[in-house]
Amino acid sequence: MKNIFFTGLIILLTGCSSKQQKPLPMKSVKATSGEMILLGKINKANLEVSTLTPWFNQDYQRISIDAKWTENVKPYLKGLRVKIFMGTWCEDSQRQIPHFFKLLESLEFDQNHIEMYAMSEEKSTPENFEKGWEIFNIPTIIFLKDGIEINRFVEFPIISLESDIIKIIKREHYSHSYN
């Protein structure tokens, strides 16, 4: 009887501490191109479950991350927050965002420290989440410490996503594609 109780308790506690996010309420709209897209505030779970984003799971599953990269970056994560502006219609977002989330997973990065916004083809959201952030190309991934932007990744890597991200997080000299 004791074993059943402890087994049940372990299952209950494990289930409660799960890091799985639930999808946010999603808004899908017809873009100016006629394609259906996600629009507004989303999270990784939205990309995983939406029928409009089959590319996310396909690319996410095929990517592997070097453990040495993870070891090198982990000490610099304290206080880090991330804002992602992307488009489900955008090929650059489709290429970079699954890879970026795989990097975050390897770092065991707290998903609660990420804000992500799916944008229209005009690079806007109905709620104006982009206001004040100077979003001209997507994806734009903004890294913040203590609420202050330390740098950003824009559209495509200079060397590789891993190399660019480590420079940003370590606060080494880094200029994105449009600097």
Side-chain angles (χ1 to χ4, degrees):
M1 187 66 162
K2 263 187 185 177
N3 286 343
I4 293 172
F5 172 77
F6 285 114
T7 303
L9 183 61
I10 289 169
I11 291 170
L12 179 65
L13 293 175
T14 304
C16 291
S17 68
S18 173
K19 292 182 181 180
Q20 275 303 98
Q21 277 187 323
K22 292 183 179 173
L24 297 174
M26 284 190 282
K27 185 186 304 180
S28 58
V29 299
K30 188 177 272 191
T32 54
S33 67
E35 176 183 3
M36 292 301 291
I37 63 170
L38 296 181
L39 190 61
K41 189 169 186 174
I42 62 171
N43 61 21
K44 178 184 173 203
N46 291 113
L47 296 175
E48 292 171 324
V49 302
S50 175
T51 58
L52 302 178
T53 57
W55 48 267
F56 182 82
N57 290 324
Q58 292 165 2
D59 283 355
Y60 186 84
Q61 295 306 320
R62 73 170 177 74
I63 296 166
S64 60
I65 306 301
D66 183 348
K68 287 182 182 178
W69 181 89
T70 303
E71 280 176 38
N72 224 347
V73 175
K74 267 192 173 184
Y76 298 91
L77 297 180
K78 186 175 183 188
L80 188 70
R81 296 197 172 261
V82 177
K83 279 189 188 280
I84 303 169
F85 294 91
M86 54 86 68
T88 57
W89 51 269
C90 169
E91 289 180 14
D92 293 310
S93 293
Q94 292 174 12
R95 186 173 31 262
Q96 305 304 334
I97 297 304
H99 192 163
F100 183 66
F101 272 101
K102 194 67 156 210
L103 291 171
L104 294 178
E105 178 187 89
S106 77
L107 295 167
E108 298 173 343
F109 192 78
D110 186 344
Q111 297 290 306
N112 294 316
H113 294 169
I114 302 168
E115 291 178 29
M116 182 166 46
Y117 306 100
M119 304 185 83
S120 70
E121 292 166 314
E122 295 77 32
K123 296 172 194 76
S124 64
T125 59
E127 301 88 349
N128 279 328
F129 289 119
E130 69 283 0
K131 186 176 181 177
W133 290 104
E134 298 183 26
I135 307 300
F136 303 109
N137 303 87
I138 56 176
T140 295
I141 303 170
I142 301 171
F143 296 84
L144 304 121
K145 280 232 178 165
D146 302 319
I148 298 168
E149 181 176 342
I150 60 171
N151 212 330
R152 61 177 60 193
F153 171 93
V154 180
E155 197 170 8
F156 56 88
I158 301 301
I159 297 172
S160 70
L161 189 58
E162 286 89 343
S163 173
D164 291 15
I165 299 304
I166 201 166
K167 283 183 178 187
I168 291 169
I169 292 174
K170 285 183 162 186
R171 296 186 178 203
E172 295 175 0
H173 175 72
Y174 173 79
S175 294
H176 63 73
S177 310
Y178 296 93
N179 260 354

